[in-house]
Amino acid sequence: MAPVARQAFIGVGANLGDRWGTIRTALTELARIPGITALETSAIFETAPVGVTDQPVFLNLVVGIETTLTPEELLVKLLALERAAGRQRDKETRWGPRTLDLDLLLFEGEKRTSPQLELPHPRMWERAFVLAPLKDLLEHNIRFQLPCWEELCHRLETANISSKGITMWTPPK
């Protein structure tokens, strides 16, 4: 019996180098991964850094996917894409600048707490740079309007998502 595709949401960010070029390449490569059967993106937001504030601004968006991969298999693929973009997690400052950040935020029907992966993402509800694009994706893409996400949608509708330091961003033509 073939594995059933489930939905997941990935936070995407970059603030070093060609931010949009790096993100665009990562999205292309993500769509090519065997086991990812659909990929949709939110609007793109330019956001002020959080934590370490003396660094360039970020581009952030959320990607919704359908996948037959397990959460752990998907995480391995996301970390490989980060490394391919030049990210060295073991040599960077926490919340510091990065070429590419891919965070697995939510995975349909799954909760995890392990050293490698926590689902839902533990700081997701503290980060407007995650919530604003996630809300955008869920509001504008019927693919992700499933009963399993109803509670998430309701929580996003009632959340006080700060717009401070967040603006919509349009890629250059």
Side-chain angles (χ1 to χ4, degrees):
M1 189 161 123
V4 175
R6 294 185 291 165
Q7 295 184 339
F9 297 101
I10 301 162
V12 180
N15 76 334
L16 292 178
D18 178 5
R19 302 172 304 165
W20 178 237
T22 300
I23 289 171
R24 193 175 56 238
T25 298
L27 295 176
T28 299
E29 293 305 313
L30 185 62
R32 290 181 179 156
I33 293 173
I36 294 181
T37 59
L39 183 147
E40 304 287 344
T41 63
S42 70
I44 307 160
F45 294 81
E46 192 166 58
T47 64
V50 173
V52 178
T53 57
D54 185 23
Q55 60 178 313
V57 294
F58 281 82
L59 288 183
N60 288 102
L61 60 114
V62 167
V63 175
I65 64 168
E66 290 182 354
T67 183
T68 57
L69 300 173
T70 66
E72 291 78 12
E73 291 169 335
L74 180 57
L75 179 63
V76 167
K77 303 292 187 187
L78 297 177
L79 294 174
L81 289 174
E82 286 182 349
R83 285 190 302 277
R87 183 168 183 190
Q88 297 177 315
R89 282 181 174 255
D90 59 334
K91 295 182 180 176
E92 67 187 24
T93 302
R94 182 177 176 133
W95 297 318
R98 57 214 43 203
T99 54
L100 182 64
D101 188 23
L102 299 171
D103 288 332
L104 183 52
L105 304 172
L106 297 154
F107 198 104
E108 182 181 346
E110 298 287 343
K111 291 187 181 194
R112 296 276 196 287
T113 302
S114 75
Q116 294 77 33
L117 180 61
E118 192 166 345
L119 290 172
H121 190 284
R123 290 169 298 285
M124 182 177 88
W125 291 100
E126 302 166 9
R127 297 176 170 173
F129 64 83
V130 169
L131 298 178
L134 180 58
K135 183 177 181 184
D136 176 79
L137 179 64
L138 287 165
E139 287 177 347
H140 296 102
N141 195 304
I142 196 163
R143 178 183 300 273
F144 299 103
Q145 294 175 1
L146 297 179
C148 64
W149 302 122
E150 281 179 7
E151 183 181 331
L152 172 65
C153 291
H154 176 71
R155 192 165 174 195
L156 284 166
E157 286 172 16
T158 59
N160 184 17
I161 302 172
S162 172
S163 60
K164 183 179 178 193
I166 297 178
T167 56
M168 295 283 275
W169 186 84
T170 303
K173 301 248 184 233

